[in-house]
Amino acid sequence: MGFKFQWGVVLETFPLLLSGVKLTIIITIGGLLFGFVLGVATGLMKLSRSLPVRSLAGAYVEAIRGTPLIVQVMFLYFGVPMAVGLRIRPMTAGIIAIAVNSGAYIAEIVRGAVQSIDPGQIEAGRSIGLTRAQTMRYIIWPQAFRRMIPPLGNQFIISLKDTSLLVVIGVAELTRVGQEIIAVNFRAFEVWLTVGIVYLMMTLTIARFLRMAEDRLAQRGKR
Amino acid sequence: MIRIENLHKRFGGLEVIRGIDLHVTPGEVVCIIGPSGSGKSTVLRCINRLEEITAGRIIVDGSDITDPKTNINQVRAEAGMVFQQFNLFPHMTVLQNVTLGPVKVRRMKRAAADTLGRELLAKVGLAEKTGSYPDQLSGGQKQRVAIARSLALQPKVMLFDEPTSALDPELVGEVLEVMKRLAAEGMTMVVVTHEMGFAREVADRVIFIDQGVIQEEGPPKAFFSNPRNPRLKDFLGRVVANL
Ligand SMILES: Nc1ncnc2c1ncn2[C@@H]1O[C@H](COP(=O)(O)OP(=O)(O)O)[C@@H](O)[C@H]1O
Ligand SMILES: [Mg+2]
């Protein structure tokens, strides 16, 4: 019984995946928005003069970077509710998981970008009488932020792909929808191929926007 | 204007400044010379507390900057600092570089700060460049912007740390010219420099620092024509040989 590729299945599958695409995008963007806030806060904490503050931020970053995302997701969805006696919806758990996970990586992006700014910039700011906070806000941050854009874009792509792991808690994102289609038509080859193409279209789109943003910044930097 | 008493500064185990006393009166121009690594920058950086001092006392315009009750940001605004590497803010226009201090530290209105900024940029010969970004300027122009940026806070003292050492030789003159004019207007200045011609012409007093202490000081004429300290003789000999 030879395998015969069915184009028809691919074409049928595309529209069925749209609801999954929508959830994948919502979770990615929602997760990254919170992840960005968390990451900036944690990244700045890692640069704090206070050792306890630095250690707290460091512990969070290490814990997340040192464990698999799938374990973090299951801990959050199955583990935490047992301990606190509070159920959370899969979708909420998904957004929290992406936020907490990306936050740790974004913290490192923020820390790295801030530290890459010439210390002479801080000295110049301080020497005209700016406070530490003002120096950060008006001098260091604007320069560091430009350097964060490429790695943040990269994290965007990583987090988007990471949402597929939420299949384990039953969030109806793209991968999950693919699985459900296969449960009906048994066409694993065509469906997974199509799912892969849809992910690729999304990541290539992000990469494209990213390059445009970088070009714009490079132009402005040259001016 | 500046009174330094028995200044000591240690980096880890290394004692870089080993007891310096220096009194700069209002309107005085003091040039500091000395070999590389002798502690010249460290002295300047202690004066506006970019470095914490290990021991001693520094009083700037009546405020003891080593006293924790002193508002260090205010003190820093009173002592303008010009760096060898300019340290302009690359993401801001020339005018924004100059007006940031007046607006954020002196709480000046934007319009007034812009007027002040344009005046100062005209004064350093850069009236045309207000809208440029630092990376569109030559080194000499950058350093003149940096001087204007410090002046914008209307400081009581200006500190210069080798302001011309990073410049191509043909750009040194334009920066020294601006500094000469400042000196002539009565600005109190402490200048670390290798420009012996400038020191000779503009300084009221020249100080030779080596191994973390003041080895010799005096008015430039006597200092250069009749150096007594053997290390200073040696240093001047080498500097002249390099010209
Ligand atoms: N932040 C620092 N940490 C450790 N050592 C330093 C630091 N800054 C300066 N030094 C040391 O202090 C000495 C004096 O430095 P500096 O004041 O820059 O000398 P100069 O300006 O006369 O060339 C040098 O030996 C230098 O290596
Ligand atoms: Mg130096």
Side-chain angles (χ1 to χ4, degrees):
Chain A
M1 206 179 79
F3 173 78
K4 191 158 173 302
F5 184 75
Q6 296 184 7
W7 270 109
V9 175
V10 173
L11 296 179
E12 272 165 37
T13 306
F14 261 113
L16 297 177
L17 292 175
L18 278 184
S19 68
V21 168
K22 198 173 131 200
L23 274 200
T24 291
I25 291 174
I26 291 173
I27 295 169
T28 306
I29 290 179
L32 281 175
L33 282 179
F34 290 112
F36 182 71
V37 174
L38 198 58
V40 170
T42 309
L44 296 181
M45 281 168 70
K46 284 199 80 168
L47 295 165
S48 162
R49 279 180 298 182
S50 147
L51 179 63
V53 172
R54 277 204 310 276
S55 311
L56 186 69
Y60 159 54
V61 171
E62 293 313 322
I64 295 300
R65 295 206 308 173
T67 55
L69 175 57
I70 194 160
V71 174
Q72 295 162 17
V73 169
M74 299 218 270
F75 178 72
L76 184 70
Y77 185 66
F78 299 113
V80 173
M82 272 189 91
V84 301
L86 193 81
R87 288 175 56 88
I88 46 177
R89 292 163 51 216
M91 179 79 176
T92 313
I95 290 176
I96 295 175
I98 294 298
V100 170
N101 182 268
S102 68
Y105 291 92
I106 292 172
E108 287 298 285
I109 292 172
V110 169
R111 186 187 57 79
V114 168
Q115 282 182 333
S116 75
I117 304 299
D118 175 7
Q121 292 287 308
I122 301 177
E123 295 192 343
R126 303 289 276 146
S127 79
I128 58 172
L130 298 178
T131 62
R132 272 171 65 91
Q134 286 174 322
T135 304
M136 181 49 115
R137 174 162 166 209
Y138 300 114
I139 297 173
I140 305 305
W141 183 260
Q143 297 182 56
F145 187 73
R146 290 182 179 198
R147 297 191 187 178
M148 287 178 212
I149 292 190
L152 281 177
N154 199 32
Q155 182 62 43
F156 193 168
I157 291 174
I158 292 172
S159 289
L160 183 124
K161 293 188 293 180
D162 279 350
T163 57
S164 76
L165 282 173
L166 300 176
V167 75
V168 299
I169 59 170
V171 181
E173 44 65 57
L174 181 52
T175 301
R176 177 74 176 194
V177 173
Q179 228 177 26
E180 284 164 358
I181 295 170
I182 293 166
V184 177
N185 69 7
F186 304 107
R187 300 303 302 185
F189 187 88
E190 288 85 350
V191 174
W192 285 131
L193 183 71
T194 313
V195 168
I197 289 170
V198 173
Y199 275 114
L200 191 60
M201 279 163 35
M202 290 195 282
T203 53
L204 287 177
T205 307
I206 297 168
R208 176 104 179 235
F209 275 116
L210 196 60
R211 258 199 311 280
M212 275 164 49
E214 281 172 44
D215 286 349
R216 282 258 298 274
L217 279 179
Q219 221 112 68
R220 243 200 291 171
K222 252 186 247 138
R223 197 174 47 176
Chain B
M1 184 61 63
I2 304 175
R3 183 187 290 279
I4 300 177
E5 292 168 4
N6 195 25
L7 174 66
H8 288 257
K9 173 65 189 177
R10 195 188 293 276
F11 289 110
L14 182 70
E15 189 165 34
V16 170
I17 302 299
R18 302 180 300 139
I20 280 187
D21 291 272
L22 177 63
H23 185 190
V24 183
T25 57
E28 197 179 10
V29 177
V30 173
C31 283
I32 300 179
I33 65 171
S36 163
S38 56
K40 307 180 297 296
S41 299
T42 306
V43 171
L44 282 197
R45 293 162 58 79
C46 287
I47 295 175
N48 69 355
R49 232 175 88 179
L50 288 174
E51 301 288 357
E52 295 291 332
I53 73 174
T54 307
R57 232 152 72 99
I58 300 180
I59 294 160
V60 178
D61 189 34
S63 319
D64 183 344
I65 66 155
T66 44
D67 182 343
K69 287 198 288 286
T70 305
N71 180 342
I72 191 60
N73 300 313
Q74 287 307 317
V75 171
R76 287 209 180 103
E78 301 301 343
M81 179 92 163
V82 175
F83 302 88
Q84 182 174 345
Q85 297 300 337
F86 328 127
N87 294 342
L88 293 182
F89 308 134
H91 59 300
M92 296 182 184
T93 64
V94 163
L95 186 62
Q96 287 167 340
N97 264 273
V98 176
T99 56
L100 184 68
V103 171
K104 299 302 173 195
V105 178
R106 298 288 194 219
R107 311 231 161 269
M108 208 183 255
K109 291 269 190 307
R110 163 65 52 198
D114 280 351
T115 306
L116 172 68
R118 286 176 203 284
E119 266 170 38
L120 288 170
L121 286 166
K123 184 172 164 178
V124 299
L126 294 171
E128 324 285 58
K129 297 288 185 186
T130 52
S132 303
Y133 282 80
D135 59 6
Q136 295 173 304
L137 304 181
S138 72
Q141 292 172 330
K142 284 183 197 170
Q143 196 60 299
R144 287 184 282 149
V145 173
I147 292 171
R149 177 176 69 182
S150 291
L151 290 176
L153 289 134
Q154 293 162 328
K156 305 243 167 48
V157 188
M158 286 285 283
L159 311 172
F160 295 83
D161 191 359
E162 301 197 29
T164 58
S165 296
L167 299 178
D168 293 336
E170 73 272 19
L171 302 176
V172 168
E174 62 192 52
V175 173
L176 293 182
E177 208 44 55
V178 167
M179 292 169 63
K180 278 181 203 166
R181 249 183 298 143
L182 263 185
E185 286 168 11
M187 176 60 78
T188 309
M189 295 164 57
V190 181
V191 185
V192 173
T193 187
H194 293 300
E195 296 292 331
M196 297 305 156
F198 177 82
R200 197 188 296 259
E201 186 185 340
V202 182
D204 296 304
R205 188 152 46 116
V206 184
I207 290 180
F208 174 61
I209 293 184
D210 192 14
Q211 300 182 318
V213 293
I214 294 179
Q215 305 271 0
E216 181 154 344
E217 65 180 300
K221 221 166 157 198
F223 186 92
F224 287 113
S225 54
N226 192 13
R228 286 158 307 174
N229 183 293
R231 303 186 69 93
L232 173 57
K233 280 184 189 162
D234 181 52
F235 176 74
L236 289 176
R238 272 184 288 131
V239 171
V240 172
N242 284 341
L243 284 182

